[in-house]
Amino acid sequence: MPETSPETVPGTTALIAGGGALPAHLARAMEAAGIPFLIAQIEGFAMDEADRWPVETFALERLAVLFDLLHGRGVTRVVLAGTIRRPRLDPERIDPRTAQLLPRILPYLAQGDDGLLRAVIALFEDDGFAVVGADAVAPDLLPAPGVLTGVAPSKADEKDAARAAAIVEGLGAVDVGQGAVVAQGLCLAVETLPGTDAMLAFVAEAAAGCRPDPKGARGVVYKAPKPRQDRRVDLPAIGPATIEAAHRAGLAGIVLEAGGVMVLDRPETVARAEALGVFLWVREP
């Protein structure tokens, strides 16, 4: 189903929040734009700055109850944002109406993220909500192509980025991950379910000595969405912590697919990159 633009959807927006910084960024953006919204926090997760706004907490076992709440509050569109882990559902908490919905997502719990998220989107859409991406609420999250830092990638870095892009495309085709680290043409790590931080920590701790030439290219981390993923949810994102993790891993820079990776707290992210000598390149696919 095509994404609906913010201008064409009247009513209140529900921010379905997982953990981390992204939900708060979107809440601030909607607040600044005068967009009426409410926050529904998934039980067991904590978004940053949660005490700044009223928050409704809901259990996944009572999803139908959430739908009733959203309709009652005049919600017409939803944005799903923030980090979540695979839910462990408590059968005793599932209400009868939600029990009728769960068979549509249970088969996907043991599969990749993309199929599960598509099933969740379908549940919201079938109940009458328009599902939009985070970038529809805060377009500034997606930077224009180009190098965002004073430090630019070298020719060797560009080659490593191209190699990493091919690896991420291959991973995405089987719904595995959205990132890879390549140095001197060799893949040092790929992103799997634990995420980007775990991948970079592995490079810092276990793969630091894998570069053939200690004086050669230090390598890059490349981030991109999966080739066929629904870009309304689970777009990859980086922030200041990603810059610091890449620096600890000894990498020269971070490469993002243009139009497909969000940059949170961009001024601080770029400032940290400049301070640490890490380049930040938004690369055309």
Side-chain angles (χ1 to χ4, degrees), residues 126-271:
D126 290 349
D127 218 74
F129 302 106
V131 178
V132 301
D135 56 307
V137 171
D140 65 299
L141 285 171
L142 294 178
V147 179
L148 305 184
T149 50
V151 180
S154 66
K155 292 296 184 183
D157 295 327
E158 292 178 4
K159 290 181 180 179
D160 282 343
R163 169 70 171 150
I167 291 169
V168 172
E169 183 175 2
L171 290 174
V174 290
D175 198 7
V176 170
Q178 299 172 310
V181 175
V182 170
Q184 300 175 30
L186 300 178
C187 182
L188 303 187
V190 296
E191 181 181 317
T192 55
L193 199 58
T196 304
D197 290 345
M199 173 179 66
L200 292 175
F202 171 80
V203 174
E205 296 169 9
C210 293
R211 299 168 178 86
D213 181 359
K215 297 182 179 180
R218 290 181 289 147
V220 303
V221 54
Y222 179 84
K223 294 282 293 178
K226 297 168 188 173
R228 292 183 293 276
Q229 83 173 65
D230 191 320
R231 295 197 175 200
R232 290 173 292 174
V233 290
D234 197 33
L235 273 187
I238 69 160
T242 317
I243 301 293
E244 293 172 3
H247 177 68
R248 287 193 297 271
L251 301 177
I254 297 175
V255 186
L256 313 176
E257 180 184 291
V261 183
M262 299 180 288
V263 178
L264 307 181
D265 300 320
R266 192 187 306 183
E268 176 61 19
T269 298
V270 174

Side-chain angles (χ1 to χ4, degrees), residues 60-100:
L60 291 172
E61 293 91 342
R62 300 182 64 80
L63 193 59
V65 176
L66 171 68
F67 289 169
D68 289 343
L69 169 68
L70 299 185
H71 285 301
R73 297 281 293 274
V75 169
T76 57
R77 68 173 184 166
V78 300
V79 183
L80 286 75
T83 57
I84 62 170
R85 60 183 177 272
R86 292 301 170 108
R88 295 181 178 178
L89 302 177
D90 181 352
E92 295 185 359
R93 301 183 66 190
I94 300 172
D95 66 89
R97 287 174 52 224
T98 302
Q100 297 177 21

Side-chain angles (χ1 to χ4, degrees), residues 33-76:
I35 298 171
F37 70 95
L38 65 84
I39 300 172
Q41 176 78 68
I42 303 172
E43 188 178 278
F45 300 90
M47 62 176 277
D48 293 358
E49 303 177 55
D51 57 352
R52 180 170 171 175
W53 303 276
V55 173
E56 302 279 354
T57 301
F58 73 95
L60 291 172
E61 293 91 342
R62 300 182 64 80
L63 193 59
V65 176
L66 171 68
F67 289 169
D68 289 343
L69 169 68
L70 299 185
H71 285 301
R73 297 281 293 274
V75 169
T76 57

